[in-house]
Amino acid sequence: MTAPWWQNGVIYQIYPRSFQDTNGDGIGDLRGIERRLDDLVSLGVDAIWISPIYPSPMVDFGYDVADYCAIDPRFGTLADFDDVLMQAHRRGLKVLLDFVPNHTSDQHPWFVESRASRQNQKRDWYIWHDAAADGGPPNNWISDFGDSAWEWDETTGQYYYHAFLKEQPDLNWRHPAVRAAMYDVMRFWFDRGVDGFRIDVLWHMVKAADFPNNPPNPAYRPEMGEMHRLLQLHSTDQPEVHRIAAEMRDIADGYGARGQGERVLIGEIYLPVDRLMHYYGGERPEVHLPFNFQLIDTPWQARALAAVITSYEAALPLGGWPNWVLGNHDRPRVAAKRGQAQARVAAVLLLTLRGTPTLYYGDELGLSDVMIEASQVRDPRELREPGLALGRDPVRTPMPWDDSENAGFTTAHPWLPLNADWPTRNVARMSEEPQSILTLYRRLLALRRNRRALSIGNFVLLNVDDEMLVYERRHGSERLIVALNLGAQSHRLPLPDWGRGSRVLLSTVADAALVEDGALLLGSNEAVVLEAG
Ligand code: NOJ
């Protein structure tokens, strides 16, 4: 049986503001994405997920949507989008959009109506509540960006709830008309041919109906950001969200069932693994891939990683397909967290674990977090809680393509600064360098495409110690060994009998790894893929 594309393929996240500008405004656009499709094909990915491109006041850079069925003029037009889709499909690339169902912009016509009067027929499309007895907010819930999650509306004399900025009011998903309208949005894009959605903050979508206070978080430290003062026990991950996820899945599956191509749903969910697993569905299937963010936060040590991998594998429900993520537009970059040498090891890990990998644009260049001066800060997260290193601008900087003006990203002033090392850390230059991390990514992606064991094979942990993590990937007669050295010492690792005659298919370090007398000699910070001979 052949695996569906979303199981053996690799997803590449594009942050559209920062990918490629073509109209000279310092902001990336859809034509820019179209122009770079061949680069993505030559990189070797299978699908792109584009962060929001809908009309938006951009208070949260597109995660505040003012119209779900159109394109923001900064990014282009619907016709441009159709072109991107057609050109991507021509090249065999799938296209996923970002679906932001939990909240709209406060400029969305639905909210404009909702706040117009208490009698408005869209009043209950959002979450309105009377003040507490003392006139304050209805409960203690805190916005993810700090401060109360309730905003007082003078005109109608009630509070509305916003899990993020006050400019991002939460929709009331308990209302059938909201569900129907949002399901129509999904159909609008599916009918145009999009291959799936990444669903923003899926676990936030339903809140406890009686709005109880959230309990304090005993592990809270101020540097975590104010939202962590409380545990989001009642404001997220409510049982009713699963019905919604199942209804979304029904819509997606309808297309496959009608022979119109399998569509995929990926849920953004930051929850412990046991809770995360529920989003695969129970009696009814839910999202295909609840994002697994564990590699971002796990200490970069062999034993810790092995524990995460094996416990995640063990927790998967029957038929649940795994997935792995190293970075995204909200979290520090892998190169910043792990350093350049280990960013290469991380690339091997991401692309050789069982499950669908999602690669964040720029990570294939080893792009690090870019220092943003106070005067250049754009991210509302940083502006609201400055100095805690919670800001996301450093990971959203322009893609450096070549060594021409502004790294080929724009002819204008880029909306965020480029990485200082762009004259050398850019796609054109690194494509020429046999030892660059970009070349490593290309080789890994090609290897993954050629060896089914790497994408859909079984995973077996072979060995773990203080610095080494070694596993097998197996599919039919294809047996591969992946060995990662997370430390600065070199190691000699005896290979299992069946692997004694292995040969090195790929290494992160030039000419270092060696198989000799049935043992693998692995250099410091080196990761290798071996094929049993
Ligand atoms: C999650 C998105 O990834 C993040 O960028 C955004 O700020 C919040 N959701 C609110 O939409």
Side-chain angles (χ1 to χ4, degrees), residues 336-402:
K337 282 194 91 157
R338 319 299 185 193
Q340 288 297 335
Q342 285 295 321
R344 300 170 72 94
V345 175
V348 175
L349 182 66
L350 177 71
L351 294 173
T352 62
L353 281 176
R354 193 176 81 94
T356 306
T358 300
L359 175 54
Y360 184 50
Y361 89 98
D363 280 354
E364 73 274 32
L365 305 176
L367 207 61
S368 195
D369 291 6
V370 174
M371 239 283 286
I372 308 288
E373 305 287 339
S375 63
Q376 297 170 321
V377 171
R378 307 289 303 269
D379 179 21
R381 183 95 181 79
E382 177 68 21
L383 292 169
R384 289 172 57 93
E385 290 188 274
L388 297 179
L390 299 172
R392 302 165 297 178
D393 294 327
V395 306
R396 298 175 173 181
T397 58
M399 182 75 169
W401 291 103
D402 54 40

Side-chain angles (χ1 to χ4, degrees), residues 359-524:
L359 175 54
Y360 184 50
Y361 89 98
D363 280 354
E364 73 274 32
L365 305 176
L367 207 61
S368 195
D369 291 6
V370 174
M371 239 283 286
I372 308 288
E373 305 287 339
S375 63
Q376 297 170 321
V377 171
R378 307 289 303 269
D379 179 21
R381 183 95 181 79
E382 177 68 21
L383 292 169
R384 289 172 57 93
E385 290 188 274
L388 297 179
L390 299 172
R392 302 165 297 178
D393 294 327
V395 306
R396 298 175 173 181
T397 58
M399 182 75 169
W401 291 103
D402 54 40
D403 63 2
S404 68
E405 185 192 13
N406 296 320
F409 166 68
T410 181
T411 52
H413 186 69
W415 79 285
L416 280 177
L418 282 151
N419 50 305
D421 54 358
W422 68 264
T424 50
R425 192 177 297 283
N426 65 60
V427 175
R429 167 82 170 254
M430 295 171 91
S431 299
E432 303 294 314
E433 296 169 348
Q435 295 310 322
S436 71
I437 186 169
L438 177 58
T439 303
L440 172 69
Y441 263 103
R442 287 214 171 101
R443 292 181 53 212
L444 271 166
L445 286 158
L447 186 62
R448 191 183 159 91
R449 197 177 290 278
N450 289 331
R451 297 289 198 288
R452 292 175 63 75
L454 285 180
S455 54
I456 58 167
N458 294 344
F459 170 92
V460 180
L461 186 67
L462 293 180
N463 189 61
V464 58
D465 63 20
D466 287 347
E467 295 199 330
M468 298 271 288
L469 172 60
V470 187
Y471 48 89
E472 178 193 351
R473 299 299 313 281
R474 181 177 192 171
H475 181 68
S477 59
E478 206 171 70
R479 287 186 97 166
L480 304 180
I481 296 174
V482 182
L484 314 178
N485 183 355
L486 289 113
Q489 310 291 322
S490 45
H491 289 273
R492 183 174 186 281
L493 176 86
L495 291 168
D497 281 348
W498 58 266
R500 288 174 64 88
S502 294
R503 66 189 180 98
V504 179
L505 290 179
L506 176 142
S507 163
T508 55
V509 180
D511 306 325
L514 205 63
V515 176
E516 206 177 67
D517 302 331
L520 170 68
L521 307 178
L522 203 58
S524 72

Side-chain angles (χ1 to χ4, degrees), residues 38-96:
D38 286 331
D39 291 88
L40 295 173
V41 171
S42 90
L43 177 61
V45 297
D46 301 274
I48 54 175
W49 145 35
I50 311 176
S51 285
I53 46 178
Y54 317 106
S56 164
M58 299 288 168
V59 185
D60 191 21
F61 295 106
Y63 286 96
D64 46 329
V65 179
D67 179 353
Y68 287 100
C69 296
I71 301 290
D72 191 282
R74 297 172 188 84
F75 295 126
T77 63
L78 257 183
D80 294 336
F81 177 74
D82 289 339
D83 283 346
V84 169
L85 196 59
M86 186 182 70
Q87 293 297 342
H89 284 169
R90 250 189 211 168
R91 290 164 173 80
L93 290 172
K94 306 285 185 188
V95 178
L96 312 185

